[in-house]
Amino acid sequence: MMRTSKIGIAFMGLALALGGSTAALAQMDAEVEAAMASGAVGEQADGYLGFAKAPSGGVKAKVDAINIKRREGYTQVAQSKNVPIEAFAASIGCKTLAGLKPGRSYSVAKGVWATKGAAPIQLPAQCG
C-alpha cells in the first residue's frame, strides 16, 4: 500500500514538473506521431514506446531517443521519491494506456500488440 502511494505521488510530481502532462516526457515529432497513428509505434505497459511493426531507421532512432528521455525523467522523479525506477515507469505506463486514443497500438504483455478500440484497455495486474 505504501509503495503504491509513493508511486502515485511520484507520478503526480512528474506530471506537475513537466507541465501537467505525461506527454511532456518526450516531445513527439511528426515522423514519430505518424508512426504512432499508423500503428507501427505504440505505448507499452512498462512506460516506454515500442515497435508493433518494423520501423524505419529514422523512426527507430527517434523512438530510442524519446525512450532515453523518458528514462531520464523517470529516474529523476523515482530517485527523489525513493521508489524503484521500473515501478515508477510502469505506473506511468498504466496511466498512459488508460488514456490511450482509439486506433493507437499498445502492448500490455511483452511482444503482444493490439489496437485500442472504443472499449477501455484490459490493463495488466500491475496497474491495480
Side-chain angles (χ1 to χ4, degrees), residues 2 7 10 15 17 27 31 33 42 57-58 60 72 74 80 87 90 94 103 109 111 126-128:
M2 177 66 104
I7 291 171
Q27 295 289 328
E31 191 174 11
E33 182 59 37
K60 181 176 183 334
E72 290 170 356
Y74 298 159
S80 73
C94 292
Q126 75 193 31
C127 295

Side-chain angles (χ1 to χ4, degrees), residues 93-118:
C94 292
K95 299 283 186 190
T96 302
L97 291 178
L100 199 64
K101 296 179 193 177
R104 297 294 176 126
S105 293
Y106 69 94
S107 175
V108 295
K110 194 95 172 146
V112 179
W113 289 91
T115 302
K116 168 76 167 77

Side-chain angles (χ1 to χ4, degrees), residues 55-86:
S56 69
V59 169
K60 181 176 183 334
K62 289 177 181 181
V63 167
D64 289 346
I66 290 168
N67 283 339
I68 288 168
K69 288 180 183 177
R70 285 185 178 192
R71 175 90 178 164
E72 290 170 356
Y74 298 159
T75 299
Q76 183 180 28
V77 176
Q79 288 176 344
S80 73
K81 302 298 182 184
N82 198 30
V83 296
I85 296 163
E86 292 77 16

